[in-house]
Amino acid sequence: MLVKIKEEFLVKESRFMNLLIGIAFLAIPMASIIAGDYKRDPLFSLMYLTMIPAALIIRRGLQNRVVIRLNHQGIFYYNKKVTDWSNLVDASVTEYMKQGDIKSRLKLELVLRQFNDAYNVIYTIPISSTFNRSGEEIIKAIHNFNSLCKEST
């Protein structure tokens, strides 16, 4: 299925996942308050610090920002133009393991190779598990837009 040129393909932060994670972080100090454990040990007061990331994650979920935008002009990352279709050479999703990460899990990133002014540029965009689209969907949309825009020129 090819996407019409006038349409846009949007990758947003998943509202549901961000709200779920934020509420889970918020539940930690709330459970402590309800249970009354905060009076026994001063270290329990440190649990209130989880309210800071909870608030930030909930705010991110409520904003529902567009992370990656594909349209007839090119590829945008947080509304900053990364490349246009005439300069795009290749796009792929790669897995990597971050060095020094406590949890040894694979992370995904979108790798865009483009040709600008006689040199190759490689641009990487991290793919979060909180996105509303998978890496495969993003690659399929990039290939569809790329072929449509090159056909129309």
Side-chain angles (χ1 to χ4, degrees), residues 125-136:
I125 298 173
I127 298 177
S128 171
S129 59
T130 60
F131 285 176
N132 67 343
R133 305 286 183 127
S134 68
E136 292 81 19

Side-chain angles (χ1 to χ4, degrees), residues 2 56 81:
L2 291 177
L56 294 174
K81 190 172 189 177

